Amino acid sequence: NAGVTQTPKFQVLKTGQSMTLQCAQDMNHNSMYWYRQDPGMGLRLIYYSASEGTTDKGEVPNGYNVSRLNKREFSLRLESAAPSQTSVYFCASSEPRGPNQPQHFGDGTRLSIL
Amino acid sequence: QKEVEQDPGPLSVPEGAIVSLNCTYSNSAFQYFMWYRQYSRKGPELLMYTYSSGNKEDGRFTAQVDKSSKYISLFIRDSQPSDSATYLCAMSTGGYKLSFGAGTTVTVRA
């Protein structure tokens, strides 16, 4: 019972490099999310996808792009990485029927930009 | 000013003590209140969910919401070393967007 799987778990990039973070869920959820977690800041929403083929900007979308290729997979791309994007990135999924539907999180990707 | 304020701690208590955690918020439109638990190197997991004001109890955990004061609390009774984690409060007006606190790190000493 995998839940939400994120790859890779760790990555170090140089400024200006590009990278795609992968996320897949096996719970047949319609909604998927990308967050970043920084010390003292809590979780901040980068992008949200209500269903396959739809995406919406969250609180901190600048410097990121996303793709919802199918119901299972939601990827996050950094086109030109900057040191300010050093963070822990979490993918989550949920049913969209109401706020009491819990968001299920993956274990994160720890990204360092040098 | 952040929409949700949470004291980051850290909080260290002996085994068996009561752990008290709280968050304050500024958006009076928040109606749904959640507590997530996050173990080290893991993703958050939903611990408690409360709608509007009032109390909710689940085993050793009690969540309280006071909308008049814009203040929510989580109490952990008979704390165990396995309760050592970071606890995140989260709130919603009813849509998909959650506003998270920064998290409070708790250590329960055996």
Side-chain angles (χ1 to χ4, degrees):
Chain A
N1 189 9
V4 178
T5 302
Q6 292 185 237
T7 55
K9 294 188 184 305
F10 304 94
Q11 186 70 47
V12 178
L13 293 177
K14 293 181 180 179
T15 298
Q17 287 185 316
S18 62
M19 170 160 194
T20 299
L21 279 59
Q22 306 287 352
C23 174
Q25 52 93 8
D26 62 3
M27 295 171 284
N28 203 35
H29 287 162
N30 284 294
S31 298
M32 296 187 74
Y33 315 78
W34 275 105
Y35 291 91
R36 59 179 291 173
Q37 187 175 38
D38 302 291
M41 299 293 292
L43 285 158
R44 292 182 292 169
L45 184 66
I46 305 172
Y47 269 94
Y48 162 67
S49 172
S51 62
E52 181 182 346
T54 68
T55 61
D56 287 301
K57 293 179 180 179
E59 183 183 354
V60 288
N62 291 344
Y64 305 95
N65 287 301
V66 291
S67 295
R68 183 76 183 272
L69 300 174
N70 50 57
K71 192 171 185 179
R72 289 188 66 249
E73 298 172 294
F74 189 35
S75 63
L76 178 72
R77 183 160 178 85
L78 287 71
E79 291 291 351
S80 179
S84 61
Q85 295 177 303
T86 293
S87 188
V88 182
Y89 291 85
F90 287 99
C91 177
S93 70
S94 74
E95 282 302 316
R97 288 190 296 273
N100 59 328
Q101 297 295 329
Q103 292 187 17
H104 298 264
F105 288 81
D107 285 339
T109 293
R110 284 153 184 81
L111 186 61
S112 292
I113 316 285
L114 304 179
Chain B
Q1 183 187 0
K2 294 179 186 176
E3 201 170 36
V4 180
E5 297 280 357
Q6 183 176 8
D7 186 339
L11 195 60
S12 180
V13 300
E15 184 175 357
I18 295 175
V19 176
S20 174
L21 305 168
N22 58 76
C23 291
T24 59
Y25 62 94
S26 58
N27 187 349
S28 58
F30 286 142
Q31 296 188 72
Y32 301 87
F33 304 91
M34 289 139 275
W35 286 94
Y36 280 80
R37 179 175 61 195
Q38 184 177 19
Y39 290 116
S40 179
R41 302 285 183 176
K42 294 292 186 181
E45 56 179 341
L46 184 67
L47 190 61
M48 298 281 285
Y49 158 77
T50 310
Y51 169 67
S52 194
S53 286
N55 293 358
K56 185 173 184 179
E57 189 172 317
D58 184 2
R60 298 183 295 110
F61 299 88
T62 300
Q64 292 184 347
V65 175
D66 182 349
K67 291 187 70 180
S68 62
S69 301
K70 297 190 181 68
Y71 186 90
I72 71 170
S73 301
L74 177 70
F75 299 97
I76 308 173
R77 293 184 299 280
D78 187 25
S79 58
Q80 304 295 310
S82 59
D83 295 325
S84 298
T86 296
Y87 292 81
L88 308 166
C89 62
M91 311 178 186
S92 168
T93 59
Y96 65 86
K97 181 181 182 298
L98 295 182
S99 295
F100 284 88
T104 301
T105 299
V106 174
T107 301
V108 180
R109 309 185 306 270

